[in-house]
Amino acid sequence: MADEEWKPKILGMVCNWCSYAGADLAGGGRIQYPPDIRIVRVMCTGRLDQLFVLKAFADGADGVLISGCHFGDCHYLEGNYKAAKRMFMVKRLMKSIGLDDRRFRMTFVSASEGAKWGKVVTDVVKTVKELGPSPITEIRK
Amino acid sequence: MAEKKKAPAKKTEKKQDMKKEAPVKQEVKKQAPAPAAKAAAPGATTKQEARIGVFICHCGTNIAGSMDIPAVQDYAKTLPNVAYVDNYKYMCSMPGQSVINKAVKEQKLTGVVVAACSPRLHEPTFRTATKEAGLNPFRFEMANIREQNSWVHMHDREGSTAKAKDAIRIAVAKAALLQDLFPKSVPVEKAAMVVGAGVAGMQAALDLASAGIKTYLIESDMSIGGRMSQLDKTFPTLDCSQCILTPKMVDVGRSQNIELMTWSEVDSVEGYIGNFDVTIRKKARGVMTPAQAEAKGIVGGGCNGCGDCENVCPVIKPNEFEVGMKPRKAIYINHPQVVPLIYTIDFKACVKCGLCVTACGPEKRAIDLEAKDEFVKVKVGTAILATGYDIFPIEKKEEWGYKRHENVITSLEFERLICASGPTGGHLVRPSDGETPKRVAFVLCAGSRDNTGVGKPYCSRFCCMYSLKHAHQIIEKIPGCIPYIFYMDIRSFGKAYEEFYYRIQDEGAKFIRGRVANILEDPATKNLHVFADDTLLDRPVDMEVDMVVLAAAIEPKPDTNRTRKLFGVSCSQDGWLLEAHPKLNPCGTTTAGVFLAGVCQGPKDIPDTVAQAEGAASAASIPIHKGEVELEPYFATCIEEKCAGCGMCVNLCPYSALALIEKDGKKVMQVTEAKCKGCGTCGGFCPGGAIWMNHFATPQVVAQIDAFLLGGEQ
């Protein structure tokens, strides 16, 4: 169902200190990756309510990426641990409602990992493109 | 969030623009009055219609070269709440900022969106511009269309134009909901801390002390001085390292404003810029200073550095300061010039025979074999990390045979051997037989610029220059001795470095351009065969030499990782501590009030280290002299009518900033703003949606999500 022209809608929610900085570094390094992601910045992934992710899927997102600091590196000590716990819950919930949980991913990209950010986004876009448009969008049509 | 579930599901894509307008507005009305209880502003502002100005930056061709700016501008004009759109070549410049200023005043804007570079770069700039135009600076939102768009989608004009439109739409949605916020000023403790007392730490501490700031200088070793005190001469001036360093060490010891804590480590750090509460572990030293003795009622007692204890100690260990080439006792000092001149007991080696206690005598009574670690708490306004480096364990590069072949040594060992105060009194000798070498090979980039995964990918920066210096030293000290330098490139980048390189060439050093492939030992003579490919003459080399010196790579100290985590500082992939900005803020870190100096931030030579230390000291003294700092007002607030008093958030908070209190007969959460750092961990969890995170409030984030997914062109 995914034809050549189809552009997935992927929401990225990233922390200010690690992944957003890592994404900026990717920019500085001119590391090229697909433009199918839109970023919402928060101070810490700990800020992210699991409902934000579900809201995004309800709104028709084809994929959601959460990215924070590596464990032990959180600017606020342990926000990323708490985010990770919540996001495991989201994954379970997605499976239980029949939404492929590969559409949702949590990664850890530090402020010095510009190249990794490029790889992560490329991979997320590839995965979501393989999965095709979100079934929620189909239903809403 | 629950309200989101209902309507949008049925809407068709056509109506999105209006659609996204509606739910956003509803939410505002629902959510905003609550925090309004805290500050009058939010309630009032939501009633007023949002008028957002969008300012698109070309950044020369950085942005404009990769996307269709007029198309983006036309699109921005169609967005709800957008009252004004403009673009300029360099928005951050003076004329660019005045475009914003003029528009805010003339168009009566309530919010500003700048689509340009990263907010991590220019958010402060544009907040100031917003403030100068008469708006609250937190009415500003940035759309990142450079670092996360034009620079990473350089060859996808269509894709990056679409992404920029979305980014602006997302930013406008948030900007429409932003509230006036007021940063909180907190007083700054008039004291600073420097971690690590090598040349960087000492210089930083001396500068801070000279500026009238009480400075705690923490050193994990027994003496200050660091790596530089192990060196013999310094390039390119051939200054004696000790001669230029020891006076500084004495100054540090003497300074009234420096409280020196050697044999100590940072144990824990709490608080924030202006108010760091640091616990320092003073490791059990087993020997009391005169001051400590006096405090215990031993008048005229304490260690005076006489060394009587060392003479009687029966335990012999290798001296780490001499890179293991000289023995020391279990009670020892690194070298005679240590500051402070206080002996230290190596409790791992000590057999507690008590001979030293007897030797110390009844007057001084300096030795306490039962000493325990002590913990000291200090409060400081700012901190500088200057934790230095270690030598990469070059035995991992097995082909060069370090630790297998006796006459293969590292350059740090060479420094000690050639140093007059070193184990051989300054005579360079072969470890195997004590003979003076006549042919010495230097292997540069030993473990540096190594992409095999064994060594380090980076250039250690000072190995070329010290190896040239070593070559000079052996030519000078051992007549007829020839240094052979195996190099990849000679990187003589500093002031007077290139001239020094030419000088060493003229003095007779031989340069062979090629990486050494293998070093084999002649078992009879212990001479070494160095195999390399001379890439200039294009022929293989097999050279017999008496000694090989490996210019080993450097790496961060193993405990740097622990220290940086205590201070919340990131590191780059190779482990060096990460500066706030590689060019514009090389001394700062992402943790406000914590600065970096010296090699812990990346390999650098002594002049650069000292320069960075002075920069860090200057940066660290600014908040202290200012007397107060503004904290970003991103703290959590409780929407009391929604709070069920469950208290789950209280346990989640990593800073103990939240508490449950009784109010009007029910339990509600209360935030101690000074402790809250604004991470939002509580706000992300609260099941009742009762926590309002300033500037990252749930309606604001949801508006961003909706703007992206429901408000776009399809």
Side-chain angles (χ1 to χ4, degrees), chain B residues 33 154 156 167 180 258 272 394 478 650 672 677 701:
Chain B
M154 296 178 93
D156 185 352
D180 290 353
I258 297 178
Y272 47 90
I394 195 65
I478 310 171
V650 176
T672 309
K677 292 200 183 182
V701 177

Side-chain angles (χ1 to χ4, degrees), chain B residues 125-169:
Chain B
T125 313
F126 292 117
R127 274 195 180 151
T128 309
T130 308
K131 193 178 174 185
E132 287 195 340
L135 282 176
N136 182 285
F138 293 90
R139 293 301 191 103
F140 165 75
E141 177 68 13
M142 203 150 182
N144 184 338
I145 59 167
R146 192 181 76 170
E147 278 86 344
Q148 298 186 17
N149 191 339
S150 68
W151 277 352
V152 289
H153 316 305
M154 296 178 93
H155 312 297
D156 185 352
R157 199 172 173 80
E158 201 181 310
S160 64
T161 306
K163 191 174 181 178
K165 289 177 181 175
D166 285 357
I168 290 172
R169 192 171 70 244

